Amino acid sequence: GAMWFSLPLPLALGWIAAPNIAQFYGCALWLTPWRTRLCEQYKRERIEEWFKQVAVLDPLPDVICIQEVTNLWFDSSYTSLILKKARELGFIHSSLPPLGPRFPATLANSGLIILSQHPLVSTGYHLFRNQAWFDLFAVNRGCLYAGVDVPIWGRFDVFTAHLAPNPEAVANLLNIDNQKWQLLSVENNTALKQAEELFAFIRRHTLRGGGG
């Protein structure tokens, strides 16, 4: 995954805390749509606990970027819970991808959310044209944008994305011999292609002032 902010000075990813600048916080919650009888994932409990941790951040971030809140086409309950908890903390503005998957994916959307305490002047979403074969019919990969109007500083352009995983990581997850997986996988450069799409998406929104 990845996050980008267009700011007046270079800043690292993650939680950015410094005097007199906008505060950003990013997290991958791993709220995957998969359910199993063998492993209880305690998703709702993890959402509750995560917001307790956010609530004690000092200062409270202006913008939060969340990944891996994947919605099934018939179930968006985790997103609804997150938006509810966010509003309780003052994050009343949000940018979201389409709640359901886009064809040919049949299970889940991209799982991206941008939350903001401040008004959003524009939003946008891009579904990557390049999808790994193991994602293609299951889950969308894409990038999300929000133009945030932050007091004192003015407008910030915020981007978050979730790129395809490294094939080696997928092989480890599925307990497949990596050499055999490399022979099966023809998508080793999918993440690079998605990154190119992401940068084009960023340029498109920042050069024309967002929107669309």
Side-chain angles (χ1 to χ4, degrees), residues 7-21:
L7 299 171
L9 67 167
L11 296 168
L13 302 184
W15 183 39
I16 304 169
N20 302 319
I21 67 170

Side-chain angles (χ1 to χ4, degrees), residues 108-169:
N109 72 348
S110 62
L112 303 172
I113 301 178
I114 297 176
L115 303 172
S116 174
Q117 296 194 65
H118 313 292
L120 304 185
V121 296
S122 57
T123 60
Y125 173 71
H126 173 70
L127 175 64
F128 293 136
R129 294 183 299 275
N130 294 281
Q131 300 281 339
W133 66 265
F134 44 79
D135 284 333
L136 186 60
F137 299 106
V139 62
N140 293 150
R141 300 275 181 181
C143 48
L144 189 65
Y145 157 76
V148 185
D149 185 12
V150 181
I152 301 176
W153 281 100
R155 174 183 171 137
F156 286 82
D157 294 312
V158 181
F159 300 85
T160 185
H162 198 172
L163 307 183
N166 185 304
E168 182 177 349

Side-chain angles (χ1 to χ4, degrees), residues 1 3 25-33 41-54 64-71 77-83 85-86 110-115 160-162:
M3 295 179 297
Y25 182 63
C27 181
L29 288 183
W30 201 65
L31 301 177
T32 60
Q41 296 180 346
Y42 300 102
K43 296 176 183 179
R44 292 184 178 276
E45 292 83 355
R46 287 195 284 122
I47 291 173
E48 296 279 354
E49 180 60 31
W50 184 73
F51 272 102
K52 290 179 182 178
Q53 297 178 25
V54 172
I64 296 176
C65 295
I66 309 177
Q67 300 171 349
E68 297 188 354
V69 188
T70 44
N71 288 283
S77 58
Y78 299 129
T79 293
S80 298
L81 178 59
I82 286 172
L83 295 179
K85 301 298 293 184
S110 62
L112 303 172
I113 301 178
I114 297 176
L115 303 172
T160 185
H162 198 172

